[in-house]
Amino acid sequence: MKVAINTGSLSFNAFEALERAQALGFDAVEVNLHQAELRYDGQRKADLSFYQRLGEAIRERGMSAVSAHHPVLTGEQVFSQRVRAELLHLAIRATALLGAPILVVHPADIFTSAEDLETYFLEHNAPPVIAGFDEAWAQLANRGLRLAIKNVSLGRGLTLTNHATRLAQVADDLAVHAVLDVWQGADKPNIPAWVEKAGRRIVLLHLQEALDGRDHLPPLSEKWADWLPLLQGTAAQACVIRAAETEEVRRARDYILSLVNGERQRTGPGLSPAAPGLSSI
């Protein structure tokens, strides 16, 4: 399993992020797509040349892009299915230029609303995708790319896709794949359930920790020594560290590599306490 880092964890400048990633010992990245780089504003024709150059830079460095992450939506864009469909199509084209096999999306990127998605899960209706999704699905298939929905909840009231059964259901219904943010989903309901219910759909793992109101912390807890061997039972071929650049990121990379390579058993570095409320696996 490849161990990559998200470019947005290192710098808002993607080319600078590549340099930092390589200096930290990574040979693979997940690229955060940005609307400014696409020059997209809902009116003018977008420009994909930035991602063509970035893809070339990745390959020239002997690195690879394991995935691309859909651009973050603005508040206004969430109200427009047309804009979201246009961004989805652009993200697919950018993903292909980067040479990445997976495009990561959040529920807001492809579903009409949180309430419609909740109704779908409760009443087993057709998935409430935005207009233009079917064309995007065909574009993905034609390019040999995979769309992967991330496990995301909305506050305390809406579970959305942050439950093993739910993410498996919607991935099956749409014939797409899944991304598991392990820390966020570890108690929804537990890691073995994610492997059993959604394992064949999970093609990517996101690794970060959250503690005392802080998120995007490096994955250094001993819990990873329990979780990652189990998660090797999914279809995931890569895991992405999504943590702000600190002196601990390199240590986290070495730790995670030792786990995915089977070199370490339940002997984490103990630099990060366990997440509150998460039961041991």
Side-chain angles (χ1 to χ4, degrees):
M1 185 182 293
K2 276 188 171 292
V3 178
I5 191 163
N6 179 272
T7 56
S9 298
L10 303 178
S11 174
F12 288 117
N13 181 314
F15 289 93
E16 185 176 286
L18 288 185
E19 183 177 348
R20 291 183 180 177
Q22 198 162 45
L24 287 166
F26 291 93
D27 62 4
V29 292
E30 174 181 79
V31 177
N32 261 15
L33 304 179
H34 293 285
Q35 295 190 44
E37 295 163 350
L38 290 167
R39 298 182 183 176
Y40 177 79
D41 64 1
Q43 301 295 326
R44 296 173 298 175
K45 185 177 180 180
D47 181 4
L48 286 159
S49 62
F50 178 91
Y51 290 108
Q52 182 174 354
R53 297 194 304 274
L54 185 61
E56 292 169 353
I58 290 170
R59 292 183 284 275
E60 286 171 0
R61 286 179 174 273
M63 302 175 74
S64 64
V66 298
S67 53
H69 198 288
H70 189 284
V72 175
L73 299 173
T74 66
E76 293 81 2
Q77 289 169 341
V78 175
F79 285 96
S80 173
Q81 291 193 47
R82 175 188 64 81
V83 168
R84 286 189 285 163
E86 289 177 358
L87 275 172
L88 179 59
H89 283 266
L90 288 170
I92 292 168
R93 293 168 62 192
T95 301
L97 288 171
L98 292 168
I102 298 167
L103 173 61
V104 177
V105 296
H106 286 217
D109 301 323
I110 63 170
F111 295 113
T112 53
S113 72
E115 292 77 15
D116 289 345
L117 186 59
E118 285 292 300
T119 299
Y120 151 76
F121 284 124
L122 294 173
E123 300 182 4
H124 304 287
N125 301 325
V129 292
I130 57 174
F133 177 83
D134 290 345
E135 292 81 358
W137 191 97
Q139 186 179 351
L140 286 158
N142 289 338
R143 295 176 181 272
L145 303 177
R146 290 176 285 181
L147 186 78
I149 305 171
K150 189 170 178 176
N151 59 309
V152 172
S153 58
L154 186 60
R156 295 180 180 273
L158 296 174
T159 302
L160 300 185
T161 56
N162 194 22
H163 191 280
T165 302
R166 285 183 165 211
L167 192 56
Q169 177 185 334
V170 74
D172 283 343
D173 286 352
L174 291 178
V176 296
H177 300 274
V179 178
L180 177 60
D181 183 324
V182 181
W183 195 263
Q184 295 300 320
D187 61 345
K188 306 292 188 301
N190 54 49
I191 296 299
W194 281 103
V195 176
E196 177 188 355
K197 302 291 185 181
R200 63 191 178 86
R201 290 291 184 184
I202 295 172
V203 294
L204 192 69
L205 304 174
H206 277 174
L207 311 186
Q208 62 177 332
E209 297 183 13
L211 184 67
D212 297 333
R214 296 181 299 146
D215 56 9
H216 295 96
L217 301 176
L220 287 165
S221 166
E222 291 190 5
K223 284 186 172 291
W224 298 103
D226 293 318
W227 294 343
L228 282 177
L230 294 173
L231 289 165
Q232 301 249 32
T234 70
Q237 296 296 308
C239 53
V240 177
I241 294 176
R242 295 177 59 86
E245 183 181 12
T246 68
E247 59 198 27
E248 294 180 332
V249 167
R250 188 192 296 270
R251 185 161 34 228
R253 169 193 168 274
D254 294 343
Y255 175 42
I256 297 301
L257 270 175
S258 73
L259 294 175
V260 300
N261 291 333
E263 299 169 2
R264 188 194 299 259
Q265 297 294 326
R266 297 184 57 81
T267 55
L271 297 177
S272 175
L278 295 186
S279 58
S280 298
I281 302 302

